[in-house]
Amino acid sequence: MEFVVLLIIVGIMYLVLRFIFDFNMKKLKSLGENKELDELTKKYPNNIDICKYYLKKLNNESVNIEEDKDSNTTLFLVISNKIFIANLKDSYTRIQTIAHECLHSVQSKRLLWFNFVFSNIYLIYFFIVCALGVFRVLPYKMLFLSILILFGLVFYAVRVYLENDAMIKARFLAEDYMKELNISSQEEIERIVSSYDVINNIGIRCINFNLLSNVFFKIFVLLIIAIAF
C-alpha cells in the first residue's frame, strides 16, 4: 500500500514540476530556427575553426575535435577528451553551442569524471534492482528504493551544475568571439545574442526538468515493479 501512495505522490510531483518549469521543448526547438540569423552567422568560420578558437582562448588546446555531419548531438566526452560537433553548419546557434561544449572541457575534471562514473553506476544499479524486483528476489524494497532516490539526487545535483554553468557562460563566450572577429556589426551581434538569451532562458528550464524527469522515471519504474511483483 505504501508503494501505491508513493507512486501517486511521485506522479503529482512530476506534474507540478512540469508546470513550474514550464517545459516546452517544441518552443525551444522553434527558437533555434531563424533563417535571418542563420544568414548572419554563415560568414563566420567553419565549426572546427570556431572550436579551436574557443579552446585557445580557454587555454585548453589539448582537446581533440571531431565533426560528425550525420549527428544531431554536439558533446564533450571527458573519457576521450574530445568534442564531437554535430551538423550545425547552417544554424546560427552553432556559435553558442560550440562554446557550451568548449566550456565543458575546462570544467573541474574531478566533477566531470565523477559525473561520468557515477552516472554509469546509477544506471547499472537501476537495471540490477529492477531485474531483482521482476524476479521477486529483491529484499527490503523500501531500502533499495531509498538508495535509488539518493543516487538520483546526487546525479541531478552534479549534472545540473555542469550544464547550467556551461549554458550561462556560453552566451558571453560567444558574444566575445563575435566582437573579437569583428565580422558582424554591433547591431547584428546584439540581435544574435538577444536570441541566445531567449533560448537560454527556456533551455535552462528544459534541461533542468529533463534531468529531473530522468530521475522521476527511474523511481516511477521501480515503484511499479515493487507494486506488481
Side-chain angles (χ1 to χ4, degrees):
M1 182 62 185
E2 66 270 21
F3 293 115
V4 175
V5 174
L6 284 172
L7 186 65
I8 295 171
I9 293 173
V10 169
I12 293 172
M13 286 179 63
Y14 172 84
L15 294 174
V16 170
L17 289 171
R18 185 184 179 94
F19 174 76
I20 292 173
F21 278 95
D22 190 22
F23 182 74
N24 194 333
M25 191 59 73
K26 288 184 179 179
K27 185 177 181 180
L28 180 62
K29 289 181 179 178
S30 67
L31 287 172
E33 299 172 0
N34 189 313
K35 291 183 179 180
E36 189 176 350
L37 295 181
D38 289 345
E39 287 298 318
L40 290 179
T41 55
K42 276 184 179 179
K43 50 193 174 184
Y44 284 88
N46 63 61
N47 295 335
I48 290 181
D49 285 342
I50 292 174
C51 193
K52 287 179 178 178
Y53 189 99
Y54 285 142
L55 292 173
K56 184 176 182 179
K57 187 177 178 67
L58 295 168
N59 297 315
N60 193 30
E61 296 181 79
S62 63
V63 177
N64 298 309
I65 307 168
E66 183 177 319
E67 188 168 19
D68 186 357
K69 296 181 179 179
D70 295 324
S71 173
N72 293 319
T73 304
T74 298
L75 75 161
F76 168 71
L77 288 181
V78 66
I79 191 172
S80 57
N81 194 35
K82 180 182 286 188
I83 292 175
F84 292 90
I85 304 174
N87 184 16
L88 301 170
K89 182 180 178 181
D90 298 322
S91 174
Y92 79 95
T93 61
R94 69 192 179 104
I95 297 175
Q96 179 178 244
T97 300
I98 295 171
H100 179 104
E101 299 309 325
C102 289
L103 285 163
H104 273 315
S105 75
V106 295
Q107 288 175 322
S108 165
K109 289 295 185 290
R110 185 180 299 177
L111 267 178
L112 290 169
W113 273 105
F114 177 83
N115 176 66
F116 174 77
V117 173
F118 188 81
S119 294
N120 284 286
I121 292 173
Y122 177 40
L123 191 62
I124 292 169
Y125 175 82
F126 169 69
F127 283 120
I128 290 175
V129 172
C130 286
L132 291 174
V134 169
F135 288 106
R136 302 177 186 274
V137 289
L138 182 65
Y140 313 112
K141 293 180 181 179
M142 188 61 75
L143 173 63
F144 285 95
L145 175 63
S146 299
I147 294 172
L148 182 70
I149 293 172
L150 179 61
F151 277 15
L153 291 174
V154 174
F155 162 80
Y156 176 76
V158 174
R159 188 66 179 275
V160 157
Y161 168 77
L162 292 172
E163 292 301 332
N164 286 357
D165 178 65
M167 286 193 73
I168 292 168
K169 292 178 179 177
R171 178 259 195 220
F172 297 99
L173 184 59
E175 183 179 21
D176 288 346
Y177 169 76
M178 289 185 282
K179 287 180 177 178
E180 289 169 7
L181 261 64
N182 200 27
I183 293 175
S184 302
S185 67
Q186 182 60 34
E187 182 184 352
E188 289 173 338
I189 293 174
E190 287 176 0
R191 287 174 59 197
I192 295 168
V193 171
S194 177
S195 292
Y196 290 162
D197 287 336
V198 175
I199 288 174
N200 292 343
N201 183 41
I202 297 174
I204 288 175
R205 295 202 310 269
C206 285
I207 286 177
N208 288 3
F209 180 76
N210 197 46
L211 291 171
L212 270 177
S213 295
N214 182 300
V215 174
F216 272 91
F217 173 76
K218 289 179 174 60
I219 296 171
F220 188 84
V221 170
L222 188 55
L223 281 171
I224 291 291
I225 291 172
I227 294 169
F229 299 94

